[in-house]
Amino acid sequence: MQLALTSYAVATYLDAALNHMDIAVFLVDAELRLLHANAAAGALLERDTALRLHGDKLLQDAGCGAKSLAQLVAAVLASPHDTAHLHALSLPRRNRPPLLLTVVPFLPPEELAALPACAIVMAGDPEAHRLPRPLLMQLFDLTPAEAGVAQALAHGEALDDIAAALDISVHTVKTHLQKLFRKTGTRRQGELVSMLHGVPAASVRAQSFE
């Protein structure tokens, strides 16, 4: 038997799903007014100053040269069907890795056509997110030790630091690295890290959205 879901039920389910994701997701209009935020986005605003709320507007709190969040949102909304160009921004933070933003258009279904033009802002915090080892093990058939090295490499850690953190020798780390090259079909460390960064960043915290 098929279950017919109402638009409200679908929206409620999707909202619950977003709240189970680790990546911060903001929905803003052309004026950067915050229309919706998932749980991770709310937590990010509480612990960080790279993004902040000023009244009901989502603003950046750090200089980024010629780019700004407002410019990215304007560019996305000016050409919502343009998939050839990426719209991303790195927000610098003092003595910390930058906050990484990606902006995409929100294209509502016909029944919600009355909504204003909106954009989705996704914020990735390298400090807060580490690729789960079980995911890496399943994707590339890695051992737990190999997955630990891959996880650390994706987080930007040097081989010496990985060896110290995992309490193994640098020689052992390099042995794991060679196995990672073979299992992932890569040949260089930069190529491996690039592949790891392509793994979906939004890990789900739970299997149920009850």
Side-chain angles (χ1 to χ4, degrees):
M1 182 180 68
Q2 289 186 333
L3 178 64
L5 295 177
T6 64
S7 296
Y8 175 78
V10 171
T12 301
Y13 182 85
L14 290 177
D15 186 52
L18 285 173
N19 283 332
H20 281 75
M21 297 174 67
D22 288 335
I23 193 168
V25 180
F26 303 90
L27 181 66
V28 299
D29 66 10
E31 303 299 323
L32 297 186
R33 281 186 287 266
L34 183 60
L35 305 178
H36 188 73
N38 69 347
L44 176 65
L45 290 175
E46 289 181 0
R47 72 172 184 267
D48 213 302
T49 59
L51 283 177
R52 59 186 173 85
L53 277 180
H54 182 70
D56 60 351
K57 292 187 177 182
L58 184 67
L59 301 179
Q60 66 190 67
D61 202 40
C64 302
K67 284 187 176 181
S68 72
L69 177 59
Q71 289 172 331
L72 258 64
V73 169
V76 163
L77 296 183
S79 303
H81 297 284
D82 179 10
T83 59
H85 296 89
L86 297 175
H87 300 278
L89 180 64
S90 176
L91 294 183
R93 299 183 292 185
R94 184 182 298 275
N95 299 322
R96 298 170 61 193
L99 191 66
L100 308 177
L101 305 184
T102 305
V103 183
V104 297
F106 173 69
L107 302 175
E110 292 183 1
E111 59 267 26
L112 298 178
L115 282 177
C118 300
I120 297 172
V121 179
M122 292 170 283
D125 186 351
E127 288 186 329
H129 176 72
R130 295 180 75 92
L131 291 172
R133 290 193 191 188
L135 176 62
L136 293 173
M137 292 168 64
Q138 184 172 349
L139 284 174
F140 304 112
D141 193 26
L142 305 181
T143 66
E146 292 164 356
V149 172
Q151 182 188 53
L153 286 171
H155 199 60
E157 297 177 21
L159 298 186
D160 290 348
D161 294 333
I162 295 173
L166 298 180
D167 196 24
I168 56 178
S169 69
V170 175
H171 175 75
T172 300
V173 173
K174 291 181 178 179
T175 299
H176 289 321
L177 183 59
Q178 291 302 316
K179 293 179 180 179
L180 288 171
F181 289 155
R182 177 172 54 82
K183 291 185 177 182
T184 60
T186 55
R187 293 174 294 176
R188 297 181 299 276
Q189 189 171 324
E191 187 179 353
L192 171 62
V193 171
S194 179
M195 173 177 284
L196 293 173
H197 284 174
V199 174
S203 59
V204 179
R205 296 193 189 100
Q207 298 299 316
S208 172
F209 300 138
E210 297 175 353

